[in-house]
Amino acid sequence: MRKRIIEYGIFIPMLLALASCGGRLAPDPDYPEPMTFAPFLPGAPGRATATSFEDGDEIGIFAVSHDAHGMPRRLEISGNWANNSKAVNDGGEWTVSPPVYWHEDDIFDIYSYYPYASDVRSIENFRFELESDQRGKGLTLSDFLWAKTSSACREAGTVPLHFTHRLSRLDINLVKGPDYEGDLPSDAIVKVHGTVPVALVNLETGDVEKDPESPVGTVIACCNAPGSYSAIVVPQKILNQIPLVEVIVDDVSYLLSSKFIFGSGMRHSLDIVLSDNPDKVLISIGGGVIDWN
């Protein structure tokens, strides 16, 4: 049972805090009012392969109440007002289990993330591992999103959750060189090598870094269209020239080496100019780094 300590000496400051949300009388305690949420994806093109959440998508929700002085409490692994409740998209509506209820005129900070994980063992270092094969649903399941809404109150109604991308996206474009004959391959396999595929996320701040104890690995990029591929990468710096991208076409392997800096919430692009001679493949990093949010 939760206990509330009422300090009469702070009655006036509490009234001022509630006034900012336009406080009102509490509902009948026998019929508590559930919080409702409106999750929004980052700006176009949205989540890795979509512009809106889809039926069956799941997010995690934490709710932290403000203290008697109107100050937000820290997000903890347990003991919050809500601890990793799961919200499921049911064709546009979100079902939250267990439900999160408002309490009188309390004010809350709401934290949320995608995709949902049932086993959250740390707030400061939540471990998130990419899908090694990002074709199909693997790309979106690797796209870690995070949101925070501060000072949510009951009178404001549905709580908006504006998500941001916390990892990096690498777009790889295959370009025909002057001596490359035929059309661009529709069945090429593109791999990203030499990056650590495990992230440590601070669920309170949204900060992310690679797991220093995890080895480097390989991810298979998703094909968007012939000649266009994308992969989600954990933010990290590759300061040495290493084999980074491999393109396999008709059993011929084009292996490209490069240094690279993957930024959190950033979208990077590589243009790979194909040649009939694998030794003459060119790589261009010129196009870009853009804000993915």
Side-chain angles (χ1 to χ4, degrees):
M1 177 180 295
R2 297 179 62 92
K3 297 182 179 179
R4 297 193 70 213
I5 300 175
I6 301 176
E7 300 182 31
Y8 293 96
I10 60 161
F11 181 70
I12 292 177
M14 278 298 293
L15 286 179
L16 293 176
L18 292 176
S20 65
C21 264
R24 65 183 188 186
L25 295 176
D28 187 328
D30 293 331
Y31 298 93
E33 183 177 352
M35 292 186 191
T36 57
F37 303 94
F40 297 95
L41 289 173
R47 194 187 49 186
T49 60
T51 56
S52 62
F53 282 104
E54 302 170 351
D55 188 9
D57 282 344
E58 299 175 346
I59 62 175
I61 294 176
F62 290 86
V64 179
S65 61
H66 289 201
D67 64 21
H69 301 280
M71 299 299 294
R73 293 184 171 90
R74 295 293 304 273
L75 176 63
E76 305 288 352
I77 191 65
S78 62
N80 307 293
W81 184 254
N83 299 299
N84 201 31
S85 287
K86 180 169 69 173
V88 181
N89 187 314
D90 300 322
E93 300 294 327
W94 290 87
T95 301
V96 183
S97 178
V100 184
Y101 293 98
W102 296 107
H103 182 265
E104 299 178 350
D105 285 312
D106 286 353
I107 299 173
F108 300 88
D109 286 352
I110 309 297
Y111 301 85
S112 188
Y113 69 94
Y114 167 92
Y116 174 79
S118 60
D119 187 17
V120 175
R121 300 185 180 184
S122 173
I123 294 299
E124 295 80 10
N125 291 295
F126 171 66
R127 190 176 187 275
F128 179 75
E129 185 169 359
L130 302 179
E131 298 287 322
S132 58
D133 187 344
Q134 296 186 6
R135 294 173 292 187
K137 289 284 288 184
L139 190 69
T140 57
L141 291 175
S142 297
D143 185 14
F144 188 88
L145 306 175
W146 177 85
K148 177 184 177 181
T149 299
S150 300
S151 300
C153 60
R154 184 180 56 187
E155 185 172 74
T158 296
V159 178
L161 295 172
H162 294 278
F163 284 91
T164 57
H165 297 283
R166 306 316 299 165
L167 304 185
S168 300
R169 172 169 170 156
L170 177 62
D171 294 326
I172 301 165
N173 305 302
L174 305 185
V175 181
K176 293 171 58 175
D179 63 344
Y180 187 87
E181 298 182 357
D183 297 327
L184 287 173
S186 59
D187 57 351
I189 297 175
V190 176
K191 299 180 179 181
V192 179
H193 298 295
T195 62
V196 174
V198 180
L200 297 180
V201 183
N202 186 318
L203 292 177
E204 186 173 37
T205 65
D207 293 336
V208 59
E209 62 181 15
K210 71 177 183 181
D211 182 358
E213 297 183 358
S214 293
V216 298
T218 296
V219 298
I220 301 176
C222 174
C223 180
N224 308 310
S228 174
Y229 297 81
S230 296
I232 306 298
V233 180
V234 173
Q236 57 197 280
K237 297 179 180 180
I238 300 174
L239 301 179
N240 298 317
Q241 194 86 3
I242 65 167
L244 180 63
V245 178
E246 181 180 12
V247 181
I248 303 173
V249 181
D250 296 330
D251 295 327
V252 177
S253 179
Y254 300 81
L255 193 60
L256 307 160
S257 297
S258 179
K259 302 177 182 180
F260 219 95
I261 298 177
F262 293 100
S264 176
M266 304 305 293
R267 186 171 179 173
H268 309 262
S269 65
L270 288 177
D271 292 337
I272 297 176
V273 182
L274 298 180
S275 167
D276 282 337
N277 183 349
D279 295 330
K280 294 183 179 180
V281 173
L282 299 176
I283 183 170
S284 171
I285 310 179
V289 181
I290 61 174
D291 189 342
W292 193 15
N293 294 313

